[in-house]
């Protein structure tokens, strides 16, 4: 794994960082949707 990390390009690191950010945002949105759906079911 250490070797893999050393051989990654800057582009790969930036792409990975962007993907992580997008996945975090997607997770937030899905959680918000889930909370909204749960609140609607209780009513």
């Amino acid at each position: 794994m250490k070797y893999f990390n050393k051989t990654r390009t800057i582009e790969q690191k930036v792409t990975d960082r962007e993907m992580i950010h997008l996945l975090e945002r997607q997770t937030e949105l899905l959680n918000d949707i889930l909370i909204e759906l749960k609140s609607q079911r209780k009513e």
Side-chain angles (χ1 to χ4, degrees):
M1 193 61 178
K2 287 181 182 176
Y3 179 74
F4 172 76
N5 285 338
K6 287 180 183 175
T7 60
R8 289 171 59 209
T9 64
I10 299 298
E11 261 183 49
Q12 283 174 315
K13 290 179 181 181
V14 170
T15 302
D16 288 350
R17 200 173 299 128
E18 289 172 354
M19 282 300 299
I20 288 170
H21 177 72
L22 289 171
L23 286 169
E24 287 173 347
R25 180 70 182 126
Q26 181 180 4
T27 301
E28 289 172 12
L29 289 169
L30 287 170
N31 277 330
D32 290 345
I33 291 170
L34 184 61
I35 289 168
E36 183 64 29
L37 287 172
K38 282 181 178 179
S39 71
Q40 286 181 6
R41 270 183 53 198
K42 290 178 182 177
E43 293 174 3

